[in-house]
Amino acid sequence: MPRRSTLTLTGRAVDSLSVDAKDAIFWDRELAGFGVRVYPSGRKVYVVQSRAGGAPRRITLGTHGELTATQARLRAAQVIDRIKRGEEPMPPPAGATVADLAERYLSAHVAQNCNAHTAGIYRGSLENHILPALGMMPLAMVETAHVAALHYRLRETPRAANRALSVLSKMFSLACAWGQVPDGTNPCRGVRKYKEKKRERFLSRDEYRRLGQALAEAEMEAEAGVEGAVSPYAIAALRLLMLTGCRLNEILTLRWDQV
């Protein structure tokens, strides 16, 4: 059994912990066996150590940031109790995972209600951000702290962070409707979106010149019947966008009587 320390592992206390050259475990003074391993990189992982049948067991609970200190303490108490009763420290997860929900979300909702462009954006958010962080977690175990940690990790790209939050929120709303989680269960509630700065950029003269050359080359390929060549209608639409400043939808829905 690890020695008790004079430190109480609160969120503020864990935030302040650091080590220089070698990782170290800081134990809690109130719950024997509950600690946090701190690495020189700044990464902090909650652990539990207890003894059953004469043999010590150490279990990893989760990373600080994905778990709050309070959540880790409660989970540690449960693990210690299970070890002392001779049970498996972490019961096997049950039910659908976030990855299972994502698959149904894409097939039953996105494919039926979204165009190809939007579907690609949502799929990219899932594959690049949501599933690597939460994909293996059972739906019942996903808490607001997990969602907030994911959102915070993407803070340097507010648009991507907010999109991941929106996609995940919609997924859990559908999970409620499909009976996969209890009504009112949405861990995204309470996580505030970041402010997004609108971006407006104009092509430089050199960029206009290179785009014009590319369109001319594409037009020659289309006229020559090259396989995979860009449609002449797309080329014409791009030229109209360049020369008129109209919005994309205005050009794509343009009629002859409007010219």
Side-chain angles (χ1 to χ4, degrees):
M1 179 64 65
R3 293 182 301 170
R4 294 199 187 192
S5 71
T6 59
L7 178 67
T8 299
L9 295 181
T10 63
R12 182 175 297 179
V14 175
D15 285 338
S16 67
L17 295 175
S18 63
V19 293
D20 294 325
K22 186 178 180 182
D23 61 277
I25 297 179
F26 296 83
W27 300 103
D28 183 69
R29 71 174 182 179
E30 297 180 358
L31 179 60
F34 172 48
V36 61
R37 183 187 292 275
V38 180
Y39 294 86
S41 64
R43 184 167 177 260
K44 299 165 185 177
V45 178
Y46 291 107
V47 297
V48 163
Q49 183 169 311
S50 189
R51 185 178 294 272
R57 299 199 60 177
R58 182 173 293 175
I59 307 297
T60 298
L61 298 176
T63 305
H64 179 59
E66 295 180 352
L67 284 177
T68 66
T70 300
Q71 290 169 334
R73 181 184 299 277
L74 292 173
R75 193 169 295 181
Q78 294 170 349
V79 169
I80 291 170
D81 181 61
R82 291 181 65 87
I83 291 176
K84 289 181 177 179
R85 286 190 280 128
E87 300 176 0
E88 281 299 310
M90 304 288 282
T97 64
V98 173
D100 296 328
L101 175 58
E103 184 177 353
R104 185 173 181 181
Y105 164 75
L106 289 173
S107 62
H109 176 74
V110 174
Q112 307 302 322
N113 300 287
C114 303
N115 59 40
H117 176 70
T118 302
I121 292 174
Y122 291 167
R123 186 176 293 106
S125 184
L126 281 163
E127 294 176 353
N128 296 325
H129 305 304
I130 297 173
L131 294 182
L134 307 174
M136 299 306 294
M137 292 189 66
L139 298 179
M141 292 184 63
V142 180
E143 300 175 347
T144 300
H146 299 117
V147 179
L150 169 62
H151 193 241
Y152 181 73
R153 283 200 296 272
L154 298 172
R155 64 190 181 279
E156 298 298 330
T157 51
R159 185 169 303 213
N162 293 340
R163 181 177 296 123
L165 181 63
S166 296
V167 169
L168 199 55
S169 180
K170 183 61 178 180
M171 285 169 54
F172 271 92
S173 295
L174 290 170
C176 290
W178 293 333
Q180 292 179 289
V181 295
D183 288 341
T185 302
N186 193 329
C188 300
R189 289 178 180 170
V191 180
R192 296 184 59 182
K193 290 185 176 182
Y194 294 121
K195 291 184 178 180
E196 298 180 22
K197 294 182 179 179
K198 293 184 177 181
R199 293 178 297 176
E200 186 175 40
R201 182 180 179 276
F202 299 94
L203 296 179
S204 66
R205 288 189 176 186
D206 182 61
E207 288 172 330
Y208 264 113
R209 179 183 57 78
R210 287 187 283 129
L211 179 56
Q213 290 176 346
L215 291 176
E217 292 172 2
E219 195 168 39
M220 292 175 59
E221 291 180 352
E223 291 175 351
V226 175
E227 185 178 355
V230 178
S231 165
Y233 299 105
I235 296 170
L238 286 169
R239 283 207 175 102
L240 278 173
L241 287 168
M242 291 172 59
L243 299 173
T244 64
C246 290
R247 295 182 179 182
L248 177 62
N249 196 53
E250 292 173 336
I251 294 299
L252 295 181
T253 60
L254 191 65
R255 299 194 305 269
W256 279 113
D257 60 9
Q258 296 172 327
V259 178

